[in-house]
């Protein structure tokens, strides 16, 4: 088996080496805190008084001749001074037998045998043995990058987007530092099955979520990345009841918070969360910004009533000790592409302490200030000023790079991605980019290539990430979520820019995103009429001719009280209701708009609803539909039959998923045969009665007139329920495989000044 030692920093490699030698020697190895080691990375005793020492060289990128040179000029002097009884040398470089003989000769007589020289192959062989897997699992980054675990990880993605997410997580894992937050997060997931990681931007919510997810994927859970539609996750849940699945939702609610609450999707979300909480074979990891969850909680009675915040784990800088912050900074520096003279700036006069103790320290800023591709042509003498400014003014962290080190074309790709809600397919981005160049004033600057292919290469890995979704299909997402924060705060008054971006994108996602920006006041509402009228003037005629009903519904829903566009909305609605078999997914918004435009709209019939209501799967939209049917006395047999089918399908799923919260314990009793074996008695009739009562109670919120007209009866549902299977699922007990010790740390202890200095000590 192969292990990727490149993911470990030098301190982590030392801890690993000490663990290996301790187990191989069957002799306790003392590990000294990081710092100037005098040639000692670990110590053990040979007999009672003879000292043995371990020296580690994590020299993956160093050439073998350079390694030998260092050993002769630096390490040999230290070893002679120490005069150990035994000397063990460990390196992450590949070593041939000839190499080992040369190293043994250098350290004669302290290295007794070639077996005391460990190279990459020796470490791989030792760690691959089954009896040594405990060492691998204690070294988290080594464990998740082992070939066996990677095989599990990459084979456990449920769909295309999930595969991309897993690859991104694994590629970022080398910067991860295990802190107490990781252990607490695992504990919450084991106890509740659900965790909502909250905190301010940049605090590390996504990073923690990523690594909690990887932990479970490596333990055999299949992985499902939920983006917008929770219905897909519900389907997977129903289809894979016996499988272990971890669901993952980054930026829960996000810019779609108001849409989720106003369209009554909050009940949908809560039901799914509660379903996960009841099933030990499923886990759900979500991240959300604190202010968004606070606002959503204040607006949603459903979130309040179902105590969604019981699943919350708030991340703050206060959760991190100074040692945690020192590890984070050190790890970023170690794995950065910073030239040595820039690293010297951080080490000068122990300035790293100023960074660690800064009031605005957070992992995102650390990532930013240690990424030389972001600050471009900055000189070493200006680097410290740049660091302090980034810490003092984190809200403009992208300003220098975005405004001074990119051109209009690279910015255009970024704008388009931001206003398409942070992700966009390559085909759409290419089309939108070419359209944007034709309708918006763009300074092309020099005579360099401004084609999409040329510009996207400049933007990728600095402002955007390009991810392979499936064969030859790519998607672009923001390189860092804070880019959107910067763009939205810096350009919110650029009305022409915003309108031209939406025109170029021509997607429902961009319209929905614009709606969310107005609702959250990220664009001043005084601009709404101006933007809406401009967009209606641009899109209305050709969208109407194309019969792109969902796009027109989304556009109208921005503000259907606008008198200047009302006449056109009215014409669009009349065209829709008179069209031949119109279809779409935006039934909630359509019913809201139709209700507002009565009595201007005259209905010849209601067949236009048929293909809009085909896939309704939430009770609030069903309630809205039934009210609409009652209000207009709709008698269309096809629609009424479809409503009956939708209600039955919805309530069946309600029962199957136990969203009615039946307390099975009340109906199960246990007695014993004389041999002592248990016998389970189940009151099936009692369970059926409670299900029937709960379904009838649930339907109290639905329009009784329509229920009577379709003769809806819950008895058919109750009579078809396999209660035995429900009880069996209830009784199933999933044993957790949680190992709280399966993590590693290259230094633990207090957060004293000496300990911080020791981490940053350079040999």
């Amino acid at each position: 088996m192969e292990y990727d030692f490149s993911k470990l920093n030098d301190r982590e490699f030392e801890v690993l080496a000490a663990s290996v030698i301790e187990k191989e020697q069957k002799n306790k190895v003392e590990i000294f805190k990081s710092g100037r080691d005098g040639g000692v990375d670990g110590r053990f005793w040979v007999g009672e008084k003879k000292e043995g020492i371990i020296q580690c060289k994590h020299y993956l990128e160093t050439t073998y001749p350079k390694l030998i040179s260092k050993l002769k000029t630096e390490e040999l002097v230290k070893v002679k001074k120490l005069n150990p009884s035994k000397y063990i040398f460990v390196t992450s470089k590949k070593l041939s037998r000839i190499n080992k003989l040369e190293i043994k000769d250098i350290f004669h007589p302290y290295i007794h045998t070639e077996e005391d020289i460990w190279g990459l192959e020796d470490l791989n062989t030792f760690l691959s043995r089954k009896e040594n897997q405990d060492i691998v699992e204690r070294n988290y980054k080594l464990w998740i990058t082992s070939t066996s675990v990677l095989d599990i990880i990459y084979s456990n993605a449920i769909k295309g987007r999930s595969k991309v997410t897993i690859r991104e997580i694994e590629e970022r894992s080398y910067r991860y530092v295990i802190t107490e937050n990781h252990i607490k997060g695992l504990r919450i997931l084991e106890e509740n099955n659900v965790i909502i990681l909250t905190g301010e931007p940049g605090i590390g919510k996504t990073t923690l979520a990523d690594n909690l997810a990887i932990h479970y994927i490596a333990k055999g859970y299949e992985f499902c990345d939920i983006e917008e539609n929770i219905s897909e996750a519900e389907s997977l849940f129903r289809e894979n009841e016996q499988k272990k699945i971890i669901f993952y939702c980054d930026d829960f609610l996000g810019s779609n918070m108001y849409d989720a609450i106003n369209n009554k999707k909050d009940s949908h979300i809560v039901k799914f969360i509660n379903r996960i909480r009841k099933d030990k074979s499923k886990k759900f990891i979500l991240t959300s910004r604190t202010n968004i969850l606070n606002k959503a909680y204040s607006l949603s009675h459903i979130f309040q009533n179902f105590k969604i915040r019981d699943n919350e784990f708030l991340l703050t800088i206060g959760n991190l000790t100074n040692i945690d912050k020192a590890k984070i900074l050190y790890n970023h520096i170690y794995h950065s592409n910073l030239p040595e003279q820039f690293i010297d700036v951080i080490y000068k006069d122990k300035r790293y302490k100023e960074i660690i103790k800064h009031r605005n320290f957070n992992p995102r800023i650390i990532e930013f200030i240690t990424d030389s591709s972001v600050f471009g042509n900055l000189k070493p003498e200006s680097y410290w000023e740049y660091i302090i400014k980034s810490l003092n003014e984190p809200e403009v962290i992208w300003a220098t790079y975005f405004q001074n080190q990119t051109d209009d074309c690279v910015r255009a790709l970024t704008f388009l991605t931001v206003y398409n809600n942070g992700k966009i397919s390559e085909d759409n981005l290419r089309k939108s980019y070419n359209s944007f160049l034709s309708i918006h004033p763009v300074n092309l600057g020099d005579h360099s290539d401004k084609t999409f292919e040329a510009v996207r290469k400049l933007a990728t890995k600095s402002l955007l990430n390009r991810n392979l979704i499936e064969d030859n299909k790519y998607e672009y997402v923001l390189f860092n979520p804070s880019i959107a924060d910067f763009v939205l705060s810096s350009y919110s008054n650029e009305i022409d820019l915003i309108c031209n971006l939406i025109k170029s994108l021509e997607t429902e996602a961009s319209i929905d995103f614009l709606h969310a920006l107005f609702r959250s006041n990220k664009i001043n509402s005084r601009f709404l009429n101006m933007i809406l009228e401009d967009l209606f003037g641009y899109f209305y005629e050709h969208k109407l001719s194309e019969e792109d009903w969902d796009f027109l519904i989304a556009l109208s829903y921005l503000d259907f009280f606008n008198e200047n566009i009302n006449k056109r909305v009215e014409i669009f609605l009349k065209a829709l209701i008179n069209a031949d078999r119109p279809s779409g997914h935006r039934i909630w918004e359509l019913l809201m708009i139709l209700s507002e435009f009565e009595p201007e709209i005259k209905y010849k019939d209601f067949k236009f609803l048929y293909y809009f209501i085909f896939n309704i799967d939430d009770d609030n939209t069903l309630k809205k539909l039934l009210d609409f049917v009652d209000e207009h006395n709709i008698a269309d047999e096809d629609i009424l039959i479809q409503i009956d089918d939708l209600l039955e399908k919805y309530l069946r799923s309600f029962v199957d998923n136990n969203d009615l919260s039946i307390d099975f314990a009340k109906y199960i009793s246990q007695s014993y045969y004389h041999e002592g074996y248990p016998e389970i008695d189940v009151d099936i009739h009692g369970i059926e009665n409670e299900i029937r009562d709960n379904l009838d109670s649930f339907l109290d919120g639905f329009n009784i007139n329509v229920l009577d007209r379709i003769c809806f009866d819950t008895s058919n549902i109750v009579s078809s329920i396999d209660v035995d299977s429900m009880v069996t699922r209830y009784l199933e007990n999933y044993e957790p495989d949680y190992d709280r010790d399966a993590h590693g740390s290259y230094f633990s202890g207090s957060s004293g000044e000496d300990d911080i200095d020791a981490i940053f000590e350079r040999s």
Side-chain angles (χ1 to χ4, degrees), residues 651-664 666-667 682-699 713-727 729:
L651 292 184
R652 281 184 184 279
S653 71
F654 223 55
V655 174
D656 291 342
N657 297 317
N658 197 20
D659 286 330
L660 297 174
S661 298
I662 303 298
D663 184 2
F664 290 101
K666 291 192 305 183
Y667 304 102
V682 180
D683 180 4
I684 300 292
H685 186 65
I687 294 174
E688 289 178 344
N689 283 340
E690 184 173 345
I691 290 173
R692 184 180 291 105
D693 290 344
N694 285 4
L695 286 177
D696 290 339
S697 176
F698 174 78
L699 287 174
D713 187 357
T714 58
S715 297
N716 291 334
I717 298 173
V718 177
S719 63
S720 65
I721 294 170
D722 185 351
V723 177
D724 286 337
S725 294
M726 294 179 70
V727 172
R729 288 201 300 271

Side-chain angles (χ1 to χ4, degrees), residues 398-404 406-408 410-412 414-415 418-419 436 440 463 483-499 501 514 517 522-524 527 531:
W398 287 98
T400 301
Y401 179 76
F402 192 81
Q403 293 173 337
N404 299 330
T406 61
D407 61 20
D408 276 4
V410 171
R411 285 191 284 272
T414 310
F415 287 140
V418 167
Y419 275 84
F436 185 76
H440 190 78
L463 292 167
I483 296 171
D485 297 335
F486 167 73
V487 167
L488 295 175
S489 64
S490 300
Y491 296 88
S492 61
N493 293 331
E494 302 289 336
I495 304 308
D496 287 342
L497 171 65
I498 293 170
C499 285
L501 288 168
L514 186 62
L517 294 178
K522 290 185 178 178
I523 298 178
N524 196 302
F527 297 131
I531 292 176

Side-chain angles (χ1 to χ4, degrees), residues 119-171:
L120 185 143
E121 296 89 343
D122 304 301
L123 291 170
N124 270 321
T125 300
F126 183 86
L127 294 170
S128 297
R129 294 176 193 152
K130 187 175 180 179
E131 65 269 21
N132 297 326
Q133 286 305 294
D134 59 319
I135 296 176
V136 176
E137 291 197 15
R138 284 201 303 272
N139 287 267
Y140 174 77
K141 286 191 276 189
L142 194 69
W143 174 59
I144 64 169
T145 56
S146 63
T147 51
S148 61
V149 170
L150 285 177
D151 286 344
I152 295 171
I153 287 172
Y154 288 130
S155 65
N156 273 5
I158 285 177
K159 60 191 181 79
R161 176 64 203 163
S162 296
K163 290 182 179 179
V164 172
T165 303
I166 286 177
R167 189 165 294 281
E168 290 174 351
I169 292 172
E170 190 273 320
E171 286 175 352

Side-chain angles (χ1 to χ4, degrees), residues 503-555:
K503 292 173 187 176
S504 302
L505 287 162
E506 201 170 329
T507 61
E508 290 174 45
S510 64
I511 300 293
D512 291 339
F513 186 67
L514 186 62
H515 188 210
L517 294 178
F518 280 119
R519 293 303 305 270
S520 59
N521 294 318
K522 290 185 178 178
I523 298 178
N524 196 302
S525 58
R526 73 176 187 271
F527 297 131
L528 177 56
N529 287 344
M530 189 187 315
I531 292 176
L532 184 58
E533 290 167 24
D534 189 4
L535 295 180
F536 246 88
Y538 184 82
F539 286 121
Y540 179 73
E541 293 295 340
H542 80 270
K543 289 297 179 183
L544 193 58
S545 66
E546 292 173 358
E547 297 190 344
D548 191 343
W549 307 122
D550 273 344
F551 191 94
L552 286 167
I553 291 168
L555 192 58

Side-chain angles (χ1 to χ4, degrees), residues 169-181:
I169 292 172
E170 190 273 320
E171 286 175 352
R172 292 193 298 261
S173 65
Y174 65 93
R175 287 182 176 173
Y176 189 58
V177 172
I178 293 283
T179 67
E180 187 60 27
N181 286 339

